[in-house]
Amino acid sequence: MASEKVSTKIGMAPGSLVYVGEEGAADICVSIIQYSRDRYTETTDADLEACRQAISEDSVTWINITGVHDPDLIGRLGQMFDLHPLVLEDMLNTEGRPKLDDYDTYLFAILKMIDYDPGQNRLDHEQVSLVVRPGLVISLQEKPGDVFDPVRERIRKGKGRIRKLGADYLAYALMDMIVDQYFLAMEQIGEQIEDLQDEVIEDPGEEIVQTIHQSRSRIIFLKKAVWPVREIIHNLLRDDTDLISDDVRVYLRDVYDHAIHVSDTVESHRDILSGVLDIYLTTVSNRMNEVMKVLTVIATIFIPLTFIAGVYGMNFDYMPELSRPWAYPALWAVFLGIFAGLLVWFKRRKWL
Amino acid sequence: MASEKVSTKIGMAPGSLVYVGEEGAADICVSIIQYSRDRYTETTDADLEACRQAISEDSVTWINITGVHDPDLIGRLGQMFDLHPLVLEDMLNTEGRPKLDDYDTYLFAILKMIDYDPGQNRLDHEQVSLVVRPGLVISLQEKPGDVFDPVRERIRKGKGRIRKLGADYLAYALMDMIVDQYFLAMEQIGEQIEDLQDEVIEDPGEEIVQTIHQSRSRIIFLKKAVWPVREIIHNLLRDDTDLISDDVRVYLRDVYDHAIHVSDTVESHRDILSGVLDIYLTTVSNRMNEVMKVLTVIATIFIPLTFIAGVYGMNFDYMPELSRPWAYPALWAVFLGIFAGLLVWFKRRKWL
Amino acid sequence: MASEKVSTKIGMAPGSLVYVGEEGAADICVSIIQYSRDRYTETTDADLEACRQAISEDSVTWINITGVHDPDLIGRLGQMFDLHPLVLEDMLNTEGRPKLDDYDTYLFAILKMIDYDPGQNRLDHEQVSLVVRPGLVISLQEKPGDVFDPVRERIRKGKGRIRKLGADYLAYALMDMIVDQYFLAMEQIGEQIEDLQDEVIEDPGEEIVQTIHQSRSRIIFLKKAVWPVREIIHNLLRDDTDLISDDVRVYLRDVYDHAIHVSDTVESHRDILSGVLDIYLTTVSNRMNEVMKVLTVIATIFIPLTFIAGVYGMNFDYMPELSRPWAYPALWAVFLGIFAGLLVWFKRRKWL
Amino acid sequence: MASEKVSTKIGMAPGSLVYVGEEGAADICVSIIQYSRDRYTETTDADLEACRQAISEDSVTWINITGVHDPDLIGRLGQMFDLHPLVLEDMLNTEGRPKLDDYDTYLFAILKMIDYDPGQNRLDHEQVSLVVRPGLVISLQEKPGDVFDPVRERIRKGKGRIRKLGADYLAYALMDMIVDQYFLAMEQIGEQIEDLQDEVIEDPGEEIVQTIHQSRSRIIFLKKAVWPVREIIHNLLRDDTDLISDDVRVYLRDVYDHAIHVSDTVESHRDILSGVLDIYLTTVSNRMNEVMKVLTVIATIFIPLTFIAGVYGMNFDYMPELSRPWAYPALWAVFLGIFAGLLVWFKRRKWL
Amino acid sequence: MASEKVSTKIGMAPGSLVYVGEEGAADICVSIIQYSRDRYTETTDADLEACRQAISEDSVTWINITGVHDPDLIGRLGQMFDLHPLVLEDMLNTEGRPKLDDYDTYLFAILKMIDYDPGQNRLDHEQVSLVVRPGLVISLQEKPGDVFDPVRERIRKGKGRIRKLGADYLAYALMDMIVDQYFLAMEQIGEQIEDLQDEVIEDPGEEIVQTIHQSRSRIIFLKKAVWPVREIIHNLLRDDTDLISDDVRVYLRDVYDHAIHVSDTVESHRDILSGVLDIYLTTVSNRMNEVMKVLTVIATIFIPLTFIAGVYGMNFDYMPELSRPWAYPALWAVFLGIFAGLLVWFKRRKWL
């Protein structure tokens, strides 16, 4: 977490454009896609100014910016599209909380995209900002990635409804991609938990507590990303902003259901995890019990025997038993008697 | 859980018809029942097209489809009855969350049917989708099963209100069947918990923790199915959709009460379960205490005695006690004195 | 719990009249009380038909039925008073959840009456159904009992407001009786918890965990009965049904306060119980600590001493210490020195 | 708690005037204060009847009754001021829950006053009932006490706003006194918790669990008194009863803030307490670990040595080592070697 | 905490001006800043009376008072600006809860500023009161500090929007500063928790429980400050007071998001902390297990061997084994056999 950087901003005027996030972020890359029902143009490394003129009412323009660490670019973007200073500030502050603000003429949304890297077994997140205006969607990503590629592909091929509907549908499609990523992360956590359930029953080692803790941290991580998305879409559905058409509302309701599904599952994963921890803790207790029983059985049997042997190892001049010829075999009988008696007693107590 | 499959859909356009669920599902079977107050026809392996014409205002048509793994069939169904692409997508995605969507001219509901298989001691679930339009109910099940048979029987025999009321009542009857299955699962869990309560008091073994965990997982499982049903019916009762008549609302209220009853009971089962775990954990602690006491009593008594015996086993030339004739019996007196004294002390401490 | 029976009903048409509850219930007994401000008649083992004619606007008729296992009687009752089939079904299903349904011309309530049997130390519950219409209250109890006797007495003697107000006041009076029973049960649990608090501090035995669990189960039991009653009365107070007059609403508010009081107290009892369990668990831990300390002190002192004694019990030819006359007393000094030193060390560590 | 008495009332008509509370309560004492902006009279042991005539629109009359165990007096009070029977019943039942009822022409409130007795280290509560009508406040206390004295003093001296504002302000002033008592109790609990935090870190004894439990019980106790007060004032602020003027509403908002403050603090005290218990429990575990380590270190070192000494104490005829002159010193070298080796091993494992 | 002082106020009339807080607070310092779009004056140790005349509609006056322990000054302030007595009381009572009161012509807010002192590793809080009127902001701090300096700097330099907007924007800027401090505290807690996570996995010492407890207390502390701020701003945004312009509302929404972000993060920190405690507790259990295993292995191996050696140390006259020349080596073979056998057994049980 690079959240220390947030503190560097304290004291600055609201709307101060300071990048808050990991250093050494990748190159900034601006790509513009413009399409209408029967037209489609795509520009990479585009010139923002040129593009502005191309924006028209009867087509949808999607400006995708990868890399948000250049306050300058964001500043120009803001001027060009007349965005509120706080919007620009939030775009640069990649440690923000998912939210949706309705600025009458446009909507501004912050979302968290979950990147699960199976190679490094790491769950990371990336901030995605969306500005939605009639005919225009601006999306900002922290890092390059191909999460939105399927959407591009659908636009290119003119498949599905995407070329027929407006910017609100495009925004929905992007949000849908992001929420679908949560399913991926959730599935990964779900599998880890199922492995944990199997492992804890078979032969749990000490490191299982750390794996449980890791799963739990991931669940908390995922929950922090998903929960606000629920609110966001719920507010979008309830509000009557003109920026979202009724057709698209139906689709948003679907994303909403997905977000609820993820957070429900996350909640039940959590419950099951705490059950796994309970099993492990009782296993530890039971093992200790096992160890103690072995010690107790051995000690309880041999300590009295050793005492008796010690008695007849004493050097008193007058110990009449010592000179009896039957005494030694008799003592062995006593030894074996005690031994057998204690064994039976332990058997009865179910310690053996 | 076959939830891994959900990830295969990521990136597809919303409304893409891809089956998400277990492979090798049974054959698809379409059965159609049409009835009015005094007419009744039933067709198995029916032809969808033919049936469409038969749909009329003054009778109820129930199309039941078993097996949802054929995107083609679902696609034709959607075209025929003009269903929203998202409805079709949800029908195929059997890992969805229970929900109810109101598409003005029809209602679409997803429910989870709980199948308890006592032979395998397994709790499984199956998705049921319902489309309700005036005069028409379409129900989709994942697997063949006879849960809806009693409803069919009631229609055939013309018993009860079912032949007199419309499609909304039929939809209610199906939902009622599904919620009744929850009672069955809940009773099964309830019995398992009562057994656990008895077992934990008598002589709990280590495996009880796993049984507790299993019950808990089932409760979580059941809760995930029931909870959304509460919401669904609550929304149905609150909304003023024309698709549900007032007569049927009364019955829905009854299903609502049942759903609340199940989720209440599930909640209290859960509370009791955590109490059972507490008892088990204290039992484990108390047993360890028992073991430690036995060890401590034996060791505390014999270790000092052994020391004394050891002392008189030493080979010093000058040990005056050794030559006294009364020394040996006197030492036995000491041994017995210490033994008795410690016994009394332990008795007083209630360790024996 | 006889809840297994619920499953026997699955698949039947809603409103099917099947008795769900314990077998061998007592005889059915119908008693009818009719009263107005200055008139009063009471009939036991009454004839329902005859009684129907006696119902008039200016008097209150109270039909009390004890024993609900006769679907036939309930069926006739339903026909006579034009009750909804679901009402009849709920009357017979004694495993239902407390609820209140407003059927416009009458109210139907299900409540749970708590029977505390101090002889058997058992908390049981019984379902009470109430139908309230202008001028008529029908109450159904599972078992004979004298809980409602005080109300009868008040009607007989014409004491209080009961003879002056309508059927709604009578219904209130019956609900008040039921909620008062919760206080009794709550007091009993409260006393048990106070005993537990005393016991756990003095000398808790192992069986205390089971008593804690029993109290907890009772609390859950009571909560399941009380919680819905809160909702029921809250809804009654909020709705503007004509069936409840404003005069009676004031009294219902009072019952509502009582129900909240019970559920609040139940909640805090629960909190205290979990505190009692915490105390017990630490007591168990501390006792184990005690046991371990005794063992450790004894072993730590005598094991080294025994080793030394063992050394001088060895039979080497050349052990110069053995022939020194001062060696034996000197060794005793060493023994006592080690003994005293360890005692001091243990004292300092506060183990003694 | 004298809550057993509540059960004695079961079965009585609502509004039956029966005193529920501790026996042997103090003498009943009625004091009346009448004041307006420039007039002030005070009567102790007043005659209720006489006083009634003195009530006028342009002055405020405050009737304070200490001791509520005389149903007769309460009955006359009710008749005189036309109070609802349930109000009278609630006045006598000192085990009620705090609440506020709006009877159109007057407000009736029940509050719990917390008495902290530092001498006995006891937290007790006392019920205070308030009836507020234009120009009249009736307050009932269970026990004599001087909590309301500051209010009296302010009236006498004509200090502050109290003589200028109406009966609603007086009622506010009394409620403010009661809520201020909660602060006192909360501070006392806060100090106890701070002591506990210090103690648990330094050298916690076994009795600390009981102190934690006591603090927790007090928190639950306080919460039960405060929580309903929040609701009460919240309802007062939200409702638009004419009995509370806008001027006084501002003050009530202040009391509301105080009540929230107390309940917030109570909540965080509770959180901290459970942290204290966690520390104690780990301390107990760690101590046990300490004890076990000492035992293990001593036993692990000396048990093998004792075995070796035992071997050379055996009496076999043919044991060649015994006759070697260097054998005994060599064995001592072995003893010391094992001893030193194990010490090093334990040091490395950080057991020493 | 100096909260004991709150009790000294009990019994006083509401609005009594008594300072509640730490003694020996710093000197009181009044500074006044007046600015409009193109004018700017700053006065330190200003004369309140003089300043009042300078207040005009077309400029913003910011009166900042450091040190609130002079009831006299607060009293004069109240008279001068016609503040409600309760406002003055709350300004002096530095133990109040954050809140916002709308007095129609002005808003009054209490906030808690978190001071994190890294030198002393201490989290402290300070009360800040704000009065906001058109053209005027009065802020009161307990202690001198430079938290508001960035705002002053922005006013001086005329940077950003601050000189162009009204008093409401200034109030927002101050609240923003305070909420930004929460981020600082949260980051500090976050780092402590990350350290804890690392430490608990590597080699946790006993003191970790106290660090966990400390982090938890800080979280509770921070939560108590942040939570009410959420409510305050939420109310500000929902209410339609004229004192906040729509332009500033957008900024307040931003502060609101920050407050939610802090409280969300605090919540998840808490969750992670309890996971850290779980890991530590299992580590303690596992360590104890380790210790017990060492003891058990050593004792189980040597106790039987010692017994056998003891047997052949007995002094019976007739022990035929003693005179066999092969007996002693044979016994060694037995010793080694038992030793090896037990080692294998322990290996199989995975105790070694």
Side-chain angles (χ1 to χ4, degrees), chain D residues 17 49 80 132 135 180 193 201 232 234 241 248 251 261 269:
Chain D
L17 299 187
E49 272 76 16
M80 209 177 296
V132 185
D180 277 354
I193 288 173
I201 283 167
I232 288 174
H234 190 246
T241 171
V248 172
Y251 288 95
H261 193 175
H269 278 352

Side-chain angles (χ1 to χ4, degrees), chain A residues 29-228:
Chain A
C29 163
V30 178
S31 81
I32 296 170
I33 292 180
Q34 251 178 327
Y35 64 88
S36 62
R37 197 176 276 258
D38 34 41
R39 214 156 37 79
Y40 164 78
T41 61
E42 186 167 357
T43 335
T44 325
D45 283 318
D47 178 26
L48 273 183
E49 272 76 18
C51 136
R52 182 160 53 151
Q53 285 141 12
I55 295 171
S56 71
E57 290 263 314
D58 54 346
S59 70
V60 176
T61 307
W62 172 18
I63 304 177
N64 182 257
I65 300 175
T66 305
V68 294
H69 48 277
D70 182 1
D72 228 53
L73 178 78
I74 302 299
R76 271 185 301 139
L77 196 77
Q79 258 179 332
M80 210 178 297
F81 298 104
D82 196 27
L83 303 176
H84 196 278
L86 287 172
V87 165
L88 306 180
E89 190 186 350
D90 286 337
M91 283 174 170
L92 286 164
N93 176 0
T94 61
E95 298 297 332
R97 187 181 180 266
K99 66 170 180 176
L100 178 104
D101 289 336
D102 182 350
Y103 287 92
D104 288 339
T105 55
Y106 58 94
L107 294 173
F108 174 61
I110 292 181
L111 297 165
K112 295 287 171 186
M113 186 145 69
I114 296 289
D115 300 308
Y116 171 55
D117 180 345
Q120 291 188 45
N121 190 18
R122 229 165 64 95
L123 212 60
D124 213 342
H125 66 134
E126 177 188 344
Q127 177 158 315
V128 174
S129 313
L130 290 179
V131 172
V132 186
R133 256 176 38 176
L136 175 69
V137 170
I138 307 172
S139 61
L140 292 97
Q141 288 174 264
E142 276 184 76
K143 287 171 248 167
D146 43 12
V147 173
F148 291 157
D149 273 1
V151 177
R152 278 187 205 99
E153 208 52 41
R154 263 147 57 196
I155 297 175
R156 278 182 207 125
K157 300 202 177 146
K159 280 207 315 192
R161 262 142 265 114
I162 201 158
R163 290 272 281 270
K164 291 166 211 138
L165 291 160
D168 49 354
Y169 187 84
L170 176 58
Y172 147 73
L174 299 178
M175 286 171 78
D176 193 37
M177 283 294 114
I178 290 167
V179 171
D180 277 354
Q181 294 289 318
Y182 299 158
F183 270 94
L184 264 180
M186 189 190 74
E187 279 177 25
Q188 189 261 339
I189 293 168
E191 279 166 38
Q192 203 179 30
I193 287 172
E194 272 181 51
D195 289 355
L196 276 171
Q197 291 199 69
D198 293 346
E199 195 189 335
V200 85
I201 283 167
E202 278 157 32
D203 180 31
E206 267 182 60
E207 75 298 336
I208 206 176
V209 194
Q210 280 155 42
T211 321
I212 291 172
H213 184 65
Q214 194 194 36
S215 288
R216 197 154 133 179
S217 302
R218 282 181 186 180
I219 284 172
I220 294 169
F221 190 87
L222 191 54
K223 199 179 151 188
K224 268 183 76 178
V226 179
W227 209 257

Side-chain angles (χ1 to χ4, degrees), chain E residues 172-192:
Chain E
Y172 148 72
L174 299 178
M175 286 171 79
D176 193 37
M177 283 295 114
I178 290 167
V179 171
D180 277 354
Q181 294 289 319
Y182 299 158
F183 271 94
L184 264 179
M186 190 189 73
E187 279 178 26
Q188 189 261 338
I189 293 168
E191 279 165 38
Q192 202 178 29

Side-chain angles (χ1 to χ4, degrees), chain C residues 112 114 175-190 218-219 221-230 254-270, chain D residues 6 10 95-97 224:
Chain C
K112 296 287 170 185
I114 297 289
M175 286 171 79
D176 194 38
M177 281 295 114
I178 290 167
V179 171
D180 277 354
Q181 293 289 319
Y182 299 158
F183 270 94
L184 262 180
M186 189 190 73
E187 279 177 25
Q188 190 261 339
I189 294 169
R218 282 181 187 181
I219 283 173
F221 190 87
L222 191 53
K223 200 179 149 188
K224 269 182 76 178
V226 179
W227 209 258
V229 171
R230 279 178 66 158
D254 195 59
V255 181
Y256 181 57
D257 287 333
H258 289 178
I260 290 184
H261 194 175
V262 171
S263 53
D264 271 19
T265 310
V266 148
E267 220 46 60
S268 59
H269 277 353
R270 192 192 181 105
Chain D
V6 173
I10 290 173
E95 298 296 332
R97 187 181 181 264
K224 269 181 76 177

Side-chain angles (χ1 to χ4, degrees), chain A residues 269-289:
Chain A
H269 278 353
R270 192 193 181 104
D271 265 12
I272 289 173
L273 256 193
S274 84
V276 171
L277 188 65
D278 282 347
I279 296 186
Y280 178 64
L281 288 174
T282 16
T283 308
V284 169
S285 278
N286 278 318
R287 276 185 192 170
M288 179 119 54
N289 242 339

